[in-house]
Amino acid sequence: MYIVAVMGNIFLIFLIVTERSLHEPMYLFLSMLALADILLSTATAPKMLAIFWFHSTDISFRSCVSQMFFIHFIFVAESAILLAMAFDRYVAICHPLKYTMILTSPVIGKIGIAAVLRSFFICCPFIFLVYRLLYCGKNIIPHSYCEHMGIARLACDNINVNVIYGLTVALLSTGLDIIFIIMSYTAILYTVFQIPSWTARYKALNTCGSHICVILLFYTPAFFSFFAHRFGGKTIPRHIHILVANLYVVVPPMLNPIIYGVKTKQIQDRAIYVFSSMSTCC
């Protein structure tokens, strides 16, 4: 799954970069999402495989904190990219005449930079929050990668600040992203169902189908893992927590290129052209 995720997303970025007809806001945001998927799976899967294959269960504290930072950083950035993609679909369907005026290349670049900066400033405090804690011997994380609360629970210190900040980040960053995505799609559905033609309605909704699938793939296991970790510790078995968390970092990155490849005709056509050119050369 990790190999498919990396190769699929690299191929998707290659298609978008090399095909001028795909240099549109929707596909530029998709290339950002693909890059985030590569980074998210690469931050976790290689060490995870080393644990399973070679029983390499040791990791230094600094490396563990670094992995924690990158996992949370990429997650928050990817959530912002999904929000930007929802905004793109909102403008395209609800304000089509202003689409090229609103989503210009400089605006897309600024959105990408804003997503990275927001994620950086949100996730930097995690580093200081885990470094300030006092650790006194317990050094086994019952997980296959490092995340904020997993490290914090190793401390023999008060972790209330860590719990509150982690919950606040989840609700005020990704939680707000979800609310704005829902608002965007509510406006989209309202606009679509005002269209008298069923064919036009289907065409408009079809352009959103792949994005909705990706949103569900991204948020469902992430929030299940997040809330189960905090509120379902005694009712949900630990191996279920670990299984969902492991699948979350490889399954969405693996499936996203496939979903967009199946649902988006422009990407399909370009992929077929590339493969046919390769087979002709061979």
Side-chain angles (χ1 to χ4, degrees), residues 40-53 55-59 63-64 67-68 71 140-148 150-151 225 229 238-250:
L40 179 63
S41 55
T42 301
T44 52
K47 179 59 180 176
M48 199 186 302
L49 292 171
I51 293 170
F52 296 148
W53 289 351
H55 305 289
S56 175
T57 56
D58 294 337
I59 185 170
S63 298
C64 193
Q67 187 186 51
M68 172 207 74
I71 289 170
I140 297 175
I141 295 179
H143 209 318
S144 46
Y145 57 81
C146 299
E147 53 88 31
H148 174 233
I151 298 175
S225 181
H229 192 64
R238 179 179 289 174
H239 64 272
I240 300 296
H241 288 266
I242 298 172
L243 178 64
V244 172
N246 286 354
L247 292 178
Y248 157 70
V249 295
V250 287

Side-chain angles (χ1 to χ4, degrees), residues 121-134:
F121 286 116
I122 285 174
C123 296
C124 257
F126 284 132
I127 298 173
F128 301 105
L129 286 173
V130 295
Y131 264 107
R132 75 179 180 86
L133 296 173
L134 178 66

Side-chain angles (χ1 to χ4, degrees), residues 5 9 19 35 37 39-40 67 109 138 187 219 221 235 259-260:
N9 283 290
E19 178 56 43
L35 179 60
D37 281 339
L39 295 175
L40 179 63
Q67 187 186 51
K138 186 171 65 172
Y219 285 115
T235 57
I259 291 169
Y260 274 99

Side-chain angles (χ1 to χ4, degrees), residues 17 25 31 43 92 105 109 149 169 181-182 184 188 198 209-210 248 258 261 264:
V17 169
S31 65
S105 296
M149 289 309 301
V169 165
I181 288 170
I182 292 171
S184 296
I188 287 169
W198 280 97
S210 51
Y248 157 70
I258 298 171
T264 310

Side-chain angles (χ1 to χ4, degrees), residues 41-264:
S41 55
T42 301
T44 52
K47 179 59 180 176
M48 199 186 302
L49 292 171
I51 293 170
F52 296 148
W53 289 351
F54 309 115
H55 305 289
S56 175
T57 56
D58 294 337
I59 185 170
S60 70
F61 184 73
R62 288 184 178 181
S63 298
C64 193
V65 172
S66 298
Q67 187 186 51
M68 172 207 74
F69 171 77
F70 282 111
I71 289 170
H72 292 298
F73 171 79
I74 298 163
F75 175 82
V76 175
E78 193 160 345
S79 178
I81 294 167
L82 289 173
L83 174 59
M85 294 174 78
F87 177 69
D88 167 78
R89 292 299 84 205
Y90 165 76
V91 176
I93 293 173
C94 299
H95 303 283
L97 298 179
K98 297 180 181 179
Y99 183 69
T100 54
M101 295 169 56
I102 295 174
L103 287 169
T104 60
S105 296
V107 169
I108 294 167
K110 289 175 183 176
I111 290 173
I113 293 169
V116 171
L117 290 177
R118 184 191 80 150
S119 183
F120 179 80
F121 286 116
I122 285 174
C123 296
C124 257
F126 284 132
I127 298 173
F128 301 105
L129 286 173
V130 295
Y131 264 107
R132 75 179 180 86
L133 296 173
L134 178 66
Y135 300 91
C136 50
K138 186 171 65 172
N139 63 353
I140 297 175
I141 295 179
H143 209 318
S144 46
Y145 57 81
C146 299
E147 53 88 31
H148 174 233
M149 289 309 301
I151 298 175
R153 286 203 168 98
L154 295 180
C156 48
D157 207 342
N158 190 318
I159 62 170
N160 286 340
V161 175
N162 298 69
V163 173
I164 292 169
Y165 186 75
L167 191 59
T168 303
V169 165
L171 295 176
L172 295 185
S173 60
T174 50
L176 281 177
D177 290 345
I178 291 173
I179 290 171
F180 288 133
I181 288 170
I182 292 171
M183 289 170 61
S184 296
Y185 274 99
T186 301
I188 287 169
L189 289 173
Y190 178 79
T191 302
V192 166
F193 285 105
Q194 301 299 312
I195 302 172
S197 169
W198 280 97
T199 305
R201 285 185 192 178
Y202 175 78
K203 186 177 179 181
L205 289 174
N206 193 49
T207 62
C208 303
S210 51
H211 185 231
I212 292 171
C213 291
V214 168
I215 288 171
L216 292 174
L217 269 175
F218 179 77
Y219 285 115
T220 304
F223 274 90
F224 171 83
S225 181
F226 176 83
F227 286 111
H229 192 64
R230 281 161 176 77
F231 306 117
K234 295 182 179 179
T235 57
I236 301 174
R238 179 179 289 174
H239 64 272
I240 300 296
H241 288 266
I242 298 172
L243 178 64
V244 172
N246 286 354
L247 292 178
Y248 157 70
V249 295
V250 287
V251 171
M254 178 190 71
L255 292 180
N256 287 351
I258 298 171
I259 291 169
Y260 274 99
V262 170
K263 297 284 290 182
T264 310

